[in-house]
Amino acid sequence: MLTMLRGNLHMTDVVLDSPSDVYQITTILRASSISCGETGTCWVALQRSGTIPDSVGIQFEAQLKFSVVEVDAASGELLGDEDGFQEEYPLEDVELNIDDFIEMAIVEDFRRGWTHVETEEVIRKYALQFKDVRSAVNAIAKCLGMQLDQPSEESFDDSVAMHNFNFYGIYVSGIPVYARAQLHKQNDMFILKLAVRCEVREISTLLADSVN
């Protein structure tokens, strides 16, 4: 979103430069006019070929393109050419990660779902710098983009050395994903053992590698 303070913007859109042929821009919805002091929104729709991302994250360079029409800030009266002049403005890179392809969902029986996945789990270990269990678990859930499965308040007891948590989500093509996290407090850090199960092993690998 963009707020214009000294003029009106016409035909505003965002242009993304993809580093990969996997993603193609299919639709751009422009903000036709953004008046002085107001906020407008424009949208870009991307289509991805294939079913599985080829890496944990991908970045797109982004630019805002628009025409500036000068107006009187008090009256809104047009001061210059009604077509305005073309401008471009660099934006922060747009980043897509594996968690953007995961929908958080609630599973009725996590253990049953976990055992029914025939593909072997992918396991990773990490050292995490967090002061308490809740902060560590929230960070893990954010990296995975998955739903924490029914924890109790006792699960976050910082006086206990070992903690176990389950996470569940659905990959965009409808594939269930399960993850188990074991946290062990050691001095001022947590040692995380993360196991991810999914029928498509590549998805498990991308999720297991996504914690940072």
Side-chain angles (χ1 to χ4, degrees):
M1 289 189 288
L2 177 71
T3 301
M4 189 59 192
L5 299 177
R6 296 185 177 179
N8 292 348
L9 301 188
H10 287 183
M11 304 306 290
T12 304
D13 60 30
V14 173
V15 177
L16 298 181
D17 184 14
S18 174
S20 170
D21 293 335
V22 174
Y23 295 89
Q24 302 292 333
I25 295 177
T26 58
T27 305
I28 297 177
L29 297 180
R30 293 174 169 173
S32 58
S33 179
I34 304 176
S35 299
C36 180
E38 296 183 352
T39 298
T41 303
C42 53
W43 302 88
V44 179
L46 294 171
Q47 184 176 20
R48 179 171 54 88
S49 61
T51 57
I52 303 171
D54 54 3
S55 62
V56 172
I58 185 170
Q59 287 187 329
F60 302 84
E61 292 183 357
Q63 270 195 335
L64 191 70
K65 292 190 175 184
F66 51 91
S67 297
V68 179
V69 178
E70 294 182 346
V71 296
D72 184 280
S75 66
E77 181 183 354
L78 182 67
L79 296 179
D81 187 350
E82 64 179 8
D83 292 330
F85 54 92
Q86 296 291 323
E87 285 283 357
E88 296 181 358
Y89 185 83
L91 302 175
E92 292 184 5
D93 289 351
V94 176
E95 184 172 359
L96 287 178
N97 292 301
I98 183 63
D99 59 289
D100 293 310
F101 300 93
I102 301 292
E103 178 186 3
M104 290 191 296
I106 296 174
V107 60
E108 292 185 3
D109 190 337
F110 181 92
R111 180 175 295 181
R112 181 180 179 183
W114 174 271
T115 57
H116 281 194
V117 177
E118 297 181 355
T119 307
E120 184 179 358
E121 67 261 29
V122 175
I123 298 175
R124 297 287 187 270
K125 288 186 177 181
Y126 298 93
L128 306 179
Q129 295 282 351
F130 290 99
K131 293 182 178 180
D132 56 74
V133 177
R134 191 179 296 274
S135 297
V137 172
N138 288 342
I140 295 167
K142 183 177 180 180
C143 287
L144 297 175
M146 299 172 70
Q147 177 70 46
L148 181 60
D149 182 52
Q150 302 177 352
S152 63
E153 281 301 314
E154 291 76 13
S155 302
F156 300 101
D157 186 352
D158 288 303
S159 66
V160 179
M162 188 75 71
H163 304 266
N164 293 284
F165 297 92
N166 298 328
F167 301 86
Y168 178 73
I170 300 175
Y171 187 70
V172 288
S173 52
I175 304 173
V177 186
Y178 302 83
R180 281 180 166 173
Q182 183 183 83
L183 285 169
H184 183 207
K185 185 67 178 294
Q186 289 188 359
N187 300 321
D188 60 345
M189 69 174 59
F190 289 93
I191 303 302
L192 166 65
K193 180 180 179 182
L194 178 66
V196 183
R197 278 190 183 183
C198 177
E199 293 293 350
V200 181
R201 186 174 174 82
E202 290 86 350
I203 297 174
S204 299
T205 300
L206 287 170
L207 280 168
D209 290 339
S210 68
V211 176
N212 49 46

